[in-house]
Amino acid sequence: MRAAQNSEGPGDGWEDLINEWTRIITPEKVRKLQRALYQKAKAEPKYRFWSLYGELSRMDILQTALGMVARNGGCAGVDGMEIEDVVFEKEGEEGKTEAWLKALGEELKDKRYRPEAVLRVYIPKADGKLRPLGIPTVKDRVVQAAAVLVLMPIFEADMHEHSYAYRPGRNAHQAMEAIRAGIETGHFEIIDADLSGYFDTIPHRTLMRLVARRVSDGSMLKLIRAWLRAPIEERPTGKGGQRRRKTNRQGTPQGGVVSPLLANLYLDRLDKEVNDRKELKARMVRYADDFVILSHPGQGQALLERVKRWLSARGLTLNEKKTRLVDIRKEGIKFLGFSVSWRRRRRQWYGYTHVEPHSKSQQKLKDSVKELLNHWTEGRPEEEIIRALNRKLKGWKAYFRYGHPSHVMGKLEYYLQDKLRRWLWKRHGKPAGMYKRYSNNDLRQKWGLYPLAWGGTARPKAT
């Protein structure tokens, strides 16, 4: 999620945050509604909102929600419908998208809309295990996006400032800056936490109680509960197998549009429990279900036990194998793909927090480049391959520019230049003078390779 400038007040720049969050142009009427909801929630922390469900059937909100879903893409759900089936109009199908949205709006108005089952798919993780994702249908994703447009301003007014994922105006760089600032104020003991299957273990009843603290609209609560309870459908990978459906008794599908908002809401109490208790003198920095807790030396173990009890009372558990208590002065940590360590300045007595892309993040980039520059792609157009390569490099560089990446970027650029040079050399029949014909300067000027080597950036303001 791209970062925006933080707004200092409930009405100051809120529409810019929404535009950044959705990455599309939000109609003025939708922005006006969101500003009003945010301002009301900020001014009255105990106010419960009613009459929200009717906003979901508004065409401007449904159109904005469809744009969000189309931007994110994703595969089809259990009904087999792709997002392209809705947004791309072929010849003779003019008005198809608008008609589809109107029909959906009528379903919502008449309260005939019912969520369909969620398709369970698995994606490989770095440790070789599989991560389960739940993919709702396109229709369900659009309605969920519409609900997020309405609910997000309300819950955003309550969220703690040290939560950085899935929120407008916040990003991973700000989370890393908060960690750096904490370490450099003497919080050297760090709980590097890992929750076991967080999205799949959130208790529905407790989560709905949290939603109901701000929402009294029965129809909206019923809709959210229906999404949480939508059955899970698993499909066989081999021949002869049958589809299986099972009841979803806990968790919110990781892949649903509304899930990040609900997941943030459930852990917001932990953010406040750690950060706002002055006697703890600790700082918790959270990015979705990944978080670290920074404390002064000697306090970490007691704080870890306290967090375990808090999570256990709310149906959550820490992964004991992956959760660590470390002294950053002796051992580094990995967070959001970055490596964080404490280093001494040369010939000086004091140290600093060193942040650079983690070795696993570097290897992931190398592996993706290998998949793109190999003998299987030598027959494809050079412009297409280099354009795809540059997209990877731009995204990687934009994300890992925080901290002290210049040394890492330099080494990776040398690797990338060598891979592209050899790919071009083989593609053109291995002519003599490979290094002269495909020099570093030519790779940049003639072939258009995006320069990865680059220094660090000014640190963002921690919130």
Side-chain angles (χ1 to χ4, degrees):
M1 194 161 48
R2 199 169 51 183
Q5 295 297 318
N6 253 343
S7 174
E8 296 297 329
D12 180 17
W14 173 252
E15 60 269 31
D16 295 329
L17 299 186
I18 294 295
N19 283 336
E20 284 293 325
W21 182 68
T22 60
R23 299 187 185 183
I24 60 174
I25 298 175
T26 307
E28 175 57 32
K29 286 186 178 180
V30 178
R31 293 202 301 267
K32 183 178 180 180
L33 170 66
Q34 291 170 327
R35 284 196 299 270
L37 292 171
Y38 181 82
Q39 291 169 352
K40 182 69 173 179
K42 200 70 174 176
E44 300 184 38
K46 294 185 178 181
Y47 184 81
R48 298 179 70 207
F49 290 80
W50 55 281
S51 190
L52 295 174
Y53 180 87
E55 307 293 345
L56 302 185
S57 59
R58 284 173 41 173
M59 279 300 292
D60 53 356
I61 286 183
L62 287 176
Q63 288 169 345
T64 307
L66 178 60
M68 292 166 56
V69 174
R71 184 97 184 186
N72 291 330
C75 61
V78 294
D79 62 354
M81 176 180 285
E82 303 276 359
I83 187 64
E84 291 83 0
D85 297 332
V86 177
V87 298
F88 290 158
E89 297 177 342
K90 300 177 182 178
E91 187 176 350
E93 295 182 339
E94 292 79 7
K96 180 187 70 172
T97 302
E98 184 177 359
W100 187 86
L101 286 175
K102 284 184 177 180
L104 178 56
E106 291 300 319
E107 278 190 49
L108 290 166
K109 283 181 182 179
D110 300 338
K111 297 186 178 180
R112 292 181 288 108
Y113 166 78
R114 298 290 183 275
E116 297 191 61
V118 174
L119 177 63
R120 173 64 56 84
V121 297
Y122 295 89
I123 60 173
K125 298 169 62 176
D127 58 4
K129 297 181 180 180
L130 296 176
R131 181 192 302 277
L133 291 182
I135 310 298
T137 63
V138 170
K139 179 188 288 187
D140 290 339
R141 296 207 296 268
V142 171
V143 181
Q144 287 186 20
V148 169
L149 285 170
V150 174
L151 294 174
M152 190 265 290
I154 297 171
F155 293 122
E156 176 65 23
D158 299 331
M159 293 290 180
H160 196 275
E161 61 181 357
H162 286 315
S163 169
Y164 295 93
Y166 312 127
R167 297 181 61 192
R170 296 174 184 271
N171 60 19
H173 291 181
Q174 293 169 330
M176 298 308 300
E177 174 62 12
I179 292 174
R180 183 208 62 80
I183 293 173
E184 295 187 0
T185 54
H187 295 75
F188 294 122
E189 276 195 356
I190 299 179
I191 299 172
D192 184 7
D194 185 88
L195 286 172
S196 297
Y198 172 60
F199 279 82
D200 294 328
T201 56
I202 300 175
H204 289 172
R205 182 175 297 179
T206 310
L207 175 59
M208 288 306 302
R209 282 202 295 264
L210 292 175
V211 175
R213 286 183 178 181
R214 276 301 204 172
V215 178
S216 63
D217 186 327
S219 296
M220 181 67 84
L221 293 173
K222 183 179 179 180
L223 183 60
I224 297 173
R225 192 177 292 110
W227 284 327
L228 293 174
R229 293 179 177 176
I232 304 295
E233 179 175 302
E234 294 188 350
R235 296 180 176 178
T237 55
K239 294 182 178 180
Q242 294 183 346
R243 298 182 181 182
R244 294 182 301 171
R245 285 194 177 187
K246 60 181 181 180
T247 304
N248 185 24
R249 301 187 183 277
Q250 63 180 14
T252 177
Q254 192 170 359
V257 181
V258 76
S259 295
L261 178 64
L262 297 177
N264 259 346
L265 176 64
Y266 198 76
L267 281 181
D268 182 63
R269 293 182 300 167
L270 180 59
D271 297 332
K272 293 168 182 173
E273 178 71 18
V274 176
N275 287 298
D276 295 346
R277 296 289 290 270
K278 294 183 179 180
E279 69 272 17
L280 296 180
K281 299 179 181 179
R283 175 177 296 185
M284 175 174 166
V285 178
R286 184 172 64 83
Y287 197 91
D289 57 336
D290 292 329
F291 65 89
V292 296
I293 301 177
L294 302 93
S295 63
H296 292 289
Q299 298 179 337
Q301 187 60 47
L303 188 56
L304 176 58
E305 295 302 321
R306 186 169 183 164
V307 169
K308 286 180 181 178
R309 291 194 298 270
W310 191 95
L311 292 170
S312 178
R314 289 154 182 84
L316 305 175
T317 57
L318 285 175
N319 186 328
E320 297 287 350
K321 293 183 179 180
K322 294 184 177 181
T323 298
R324 302 183 303 148
L325 175 61
V326 304
D327 187 327
I328 196 65
R329 296 169 296 184
K330 301 175 182 178
E331 185 179 2
I333 63 170
K334 175 179 179 288
F335 190 66
L336 304 182
F338 290 90
S339 172
V340 184
S341 59
W342 181 259
R343 294 190 181 183
R344 292 286 183 184
R345 295 188 184 276
R346 188 174 298 176
R347 299 178 182 177
Q348 294 178 347
W349 65 269
Y350 60 91
Y352 71 98
T353 308
H354 185 86
V355 181
E356 67 178 26
H358 194 273
S359 58
K360 290 184 178 180
S361 303
Q362 299 177 43
Q363 189 58 49
K364 283 183 180 180
L365 176 64
K366 290 181 179 180
D367 292 342
S368 66
V369 171
K370 285 180 182 178
E371 291 180 4
L372 194 59
L373 300 178
N374 57 48
H375 66 281
W376 298 106
T377 62
E378 289 173 9
R380 292 167 60 182
E382 294 169 1
E383 297 81 3
E384 175 190 332
I385 297 299
I386 296 177
R387 188 162 52 246
L389 175 62
N390 284 343
R391 281 198 299 269
K392 290 180 181 292
L393 300 184
K394 288 178 181 178
W396 203 89
K397 181 176 177 178
Y399 183 81
F400 287 106
R401 66 188 180 187
Y402 176 84
H404 313 83
S406 56
H407 178 64
V408 171
M409 296 291 189
K411 290 194 302 181
L412 286 173
E413 180 156 35
Y414 179 84
Y415 170 84
L416 294 165
Q417 289 171 340
D418 188 64
K419 291 294 292 184
L420 180 58
R421 178 183 295 114
R422 293 183 181 278
W423 184 83
L424 290 169
W425 178 63
K426 293 176 182 178
R427 173 182 166 79
H428 290 280
K430 301 181 179 180
M434 177 178 66
Y435 286 92
K436 183 178 180 180
R437 184 182 298 267
Y438 306 110
S439 66
N440 293 342
N441 186 63
D442 282 343
L443 291 177
R444 288 191 299 268
Q445 300 296 328
K446 182 178 179 181
W447 305 101
L449 177 64
Y450 182 75
L452 193 62
W454 185 57
T457 63
R459 291 197 292 260
K461 179 181 177 181
T463 58

